[in-house]
Amino acid sequence: MRNGWILASLAAVGFSLAGCIGTDFGPINEQTSDVGPPSPAFIPETGDDGSTVVGLAFSGGGTRAAAFGYGVLRELDDTLIDEYPKQRSLVDDIRLISGASGGAVAAAYFGYKGRDDYRDFRERFLLRNAESGMRKAVTPFNLFRAINGGVNNRSTFAQWLDRNLFDGATFESLHWTNAPIVWINASDIYNRTPFLFSYDTFAALCSSLDDVKLADAVAASAAVPVVFSPVVVSAKSPDCGYVRPHWLERALAEKDVSVRLQAYAKALDSYQNVDALDYVKLLDGGLTDNIGVTGLTLERAASRTPYGPLSPVEAVKLSTLIFIVADAGREPSGNWAKTVSGPRLPALLSAISATSISASVRDEFDALKLATTAWQDDLINYRCGLPAETVRRYRGSAVGWNCRDVQLVVEQISFADLDPTELALVNLVPTRLKLPAEQVDITIAAARHALRANANIQAAIARVRRRAGVGSAPRVASAAE
């Protein structure tokens, strides 16, 4: 009897503390009376002749996904595409990079450090223990935290990222010369839509994205439900003079519009006009977009031109656009498929999650491919309808102009592209924020090999190299190989 009373008392105390235990630091944004700037109208121009544009999207999957994305970057870095007037690799032409969950760490770090300084990512993140300080043990207090919204809050992973990787930097630090657009994807669990860390999103929140810490955005993108409590964004909508951008007005008013774009427009509108919504709650980007393609998909859907989100000049200069989706999701595995019984609960929950994510990834990638195919047709029609004088003005010369000579290549690379031996190794790498060095390096190498194995990407690279007059050897081996 006495023991039961003690347990009941402890439970009562625990529940009374649960509100304090689960409390986060508050909103990651500050609302002001001045509306934040809008998103850029176009993808930033390249530093060279504009003939090549590279886009990257990194999937979720913890440190495994971050290592896979890093491997893609290193392989592109070692792929020379020009030698005169200076040596250039495909990394120099990255104009947009996005990520969800674990992939967001790699995407944000490249955006923060740039084409030369991102290379220490292996040492600064992949080989470190990003789980240090996180609550993992099953204890009564952690159970109460879970019931209250999540076992960990911003005092764990977000603070670790801020101290150890991003050095306190905000989105303002991404404004360096020739910088790409960086899109970090989280999930708005009230509106059940992707939450894109963009200037248009934060303008609707009467906030400036430039003031938001990179660590907070990445932590929101990686906030696995229950393991983390939702990351909070204030949406109390002070009078900041916000005016809906034209694309949002059209998406709300027109019926014949992309369903995805309309849902996102309604979410942004809710930040201003829904009384019940004072705080946006963000969880893992993988809940709504596990391969990080929301940014490009929405930008293209929002455009009312045949060339957007390219500028008119970029659309004329462009010869090859390569968009690579790096999917670090594991391939099917498990012995329970060979027996009548099973899977048991842990394996069952894992299978349910993997099934849902895989189905979503297929749909997202198919939609992106269809949209890109239509975009290429629109670009060709636009280019072929331009007067010769406009072409000369945009290109600097009409010599060698072929209005139909433009190719948009969208490809997904994944563990399925590997040989059986390598697949068996990388498929064992868990979805964690801490991995042994051996598994990190296996995953980096797997990304390199998957990229080389993709015939369409390699054909596009060869096309870029031929245009630049570069010899047949497409790569320079790195010291890490």
Side-chain angles (χ1 to χ4, degrees):
M1 179 72 176
R2 186 167 181 265
N3 288 339
W5 180 85
I6 292 173
L7 289 173
S9 299
L10 287 173
V13 171
F15 277 107
S16 70
L17 291 175
C20 298
I21 290 169
T23 300
D24 211 327
F25 288 170
I28 62 173
N29 64 319
E30 290 186 12
Q31 295 188 296
T32 69
S33 57
D34 298 321
V35 67
S39 295
F42 307 114
I43 293 170
E45 293 192 20
T46 59
D48 62 354
D49 64 359
S51 63
T52 306
V53 170
V54 177
L56 302 173
F58 297 154
S59 79
T63 296
R64 183 184 68 244
F68 200 68
Y70 178 70
V72 170
L73 287 169
R74 292 311 307 265
E75 182 65 18
L76 296 178
D77 210 348
D78 291 340
T79 304
L80 297 183
I81 57 168
D82 205 349
E83 295 176 347
Y84 302 101
K86 64 178 182 178
Q87 196 174 80
R88 295 176 56 80
S89 77
L90 279 176
V91 163
D92 291 292
D93 288 323
I94 295 174
R95 309 315 311 139
L96 50 154
I97 183 168
S98 69
S101 197
V105 188
Y109 194 69
F110 180 83
Y112 169 48
K113 300 295 281 189
R115 78 90 61 236
D116 292 319
D117 295 333
Y118 81 92
R119 296 172 190 166
D120 63 357
F121 184 66
R122 177 178 177 273
E123 289 68 33
R124 290 199 68 185
F125 179 75
L126 299 177
L127 298 183
R128 302 282 298 278
N129 179 11
E131 294 181 5
S132 63
M134 285 178 53
R135 307 179 186 102
K136 298 183 287 291
V138 179
T139 66
F141 277 173
N142 284 345
L143 174 61
F144 298 142
R145 290 183 176 102
I147 292 170
N148 206 47
V151 176
N152 293 277
N153 57 30
R154 286 167 57 208
S155 67
T156 55
F157 187 46
Q159 273 202 355
W160 188 96
L161 289 170
D162 199 43
R163 287 194 306 263
N164 295 283
L165 194 64
F166 295 114
D167 313 309
T170 66
F171 275 82
E172 187 175 20
S173 67
L174 306 185
H175 301 312
W176 42 272
T177 302
N178 204 32
I181 287 179
V182 178
W183 288 312
I184 304 301
N185 300 268
S187 297
D188 174 347
I189 58 173
Y190 180 87
N191 287 297
R192 306 168 195 173
T193 58
F195 182 95
L196 195 64
F197 280 80
S198 71
Y199 287 93
D200 277 354
T201 300
F202 279 81
L205 291 161
C206 288
S207 301
S208 174
L209 180 62
D210 280 343
D211 296 330
V212 176
K213 285 191 170 186
L214 293 175
D216 285 335
V218 171
S221 183
V224 176
V226 182
V227 177
F228 294 98
S229 58
V231 173
V232 179
V233 180
S234 180
K236 288 192 171 182
S237 301
D239 184 8
C240 64
Y242 174 73
V243 177
R244 292 171 176 165
H246 292 307
W247 71 263
L248 196 152
E249 287 278 14
R250 290 195 305 268
L252 292 175
E254 297 178 6
K255 293 183 179 179
D256 186 18
V257 70
S258 158
V259 174
R260 179 181 291 229
L261 181 66
Q262 189 174 69
Y264 198 78
K266 288 180 178 178
L268 265 59
D269 189 56
S270 75
Y271 302 157
Q272 286 280 322
N273 297 313
V274 173
D275 290 339
L277 184 63
D278 284 342
Y279 297 100
V280 182
K281 306 296 178 69
L282 305 180
L283 283 175
D284 196 320
L287 296 174
T288 50
D289 175 14
N290 197 55
I291 53 175
V293 298
T294 292
L296 180 60
T297 303
L298 290 181
E299 288 285 341
R300 180 59 196 148
S303 176
R304 301 290 280 191
T305 69
Y307 46 79
L310 297 171
S311 71
V313 174
E314 289 172 315
V316 171
K317 290 181 176 181
L318 181 67
S319 174
T320 308
L321 184 149
I322 304 172
F323 192 87
I324 300 169
V325 177
D327 180 7
R330 291 184 291 182
E331 290 294 287
S333 63
N335 295 326
W336 51 265
K338 295 181 69 66
T339 64
V340 173
S341 61
R344 300 182 71 179
L345 184 60
L348 178 62
L349 294 176
S350 177
I352 290 170
S353 174
T355 300
S356 176
I357 289 173
S358 295
S360 175
V361 164
R362 289 191 290 269
D363 291 344
E364 291 160 6
F365 186 72
D366 280 349
L368 179 63
K369 287 276 283 189
L370 287 171
T372 307
T373 299
W375 185 18
Q376 178 171 307
D377 292 340
D378 290 343
L379 276 175
I380 290 172
N381 292 333
Y382 165 73
R383 287 156 56 106
C384 291
L386 290 174
E389 176 55 36
T390 301
V391 173
R392 279 193 294 270
R393 187 169 72 252
Y394 287 173
R395 293 179 78 240
S397 168
V399 176
W401 169 246
N402 178 355
C403 65
R404 305 188 69 81
D405 182 25
V406 62
Q407 188 176 81
L408 308 186
V409 178
V410 178
E411 290 292 319
Q412 180 185 27
I413 64 168
S414 69
F415 293 176
D417 298 311
L418 305 173
D419 65 54
T421 301
E422 190 170 24
L423 172 60
L425 290 174
V426 79
N427 224 30
L428 295 175
V429 180
T431 305
R432 294 281 303 271
L433 292 173
K434 175 190 176 183
L435 295 176
E438 180 184 7
Q439 289 189 331
V440 166
D441 291 335
I442 286 171
T443 308
I444 293 171
R448 285 178 171 273
H449 299 158
L451 199 53
R452 292 178 214 166
N454 187 289
N456 290 335
I457 293 174
Q458 294 307 312
I461 292 171
R463 168 187 166 90
V464 171
R465 290 171 58 80
R466 282 195 304 270
R467 189 182 185 282
V470 179
S472 59
R475 303 180 62 255
V476 170
S478 80
E481 291 185 272

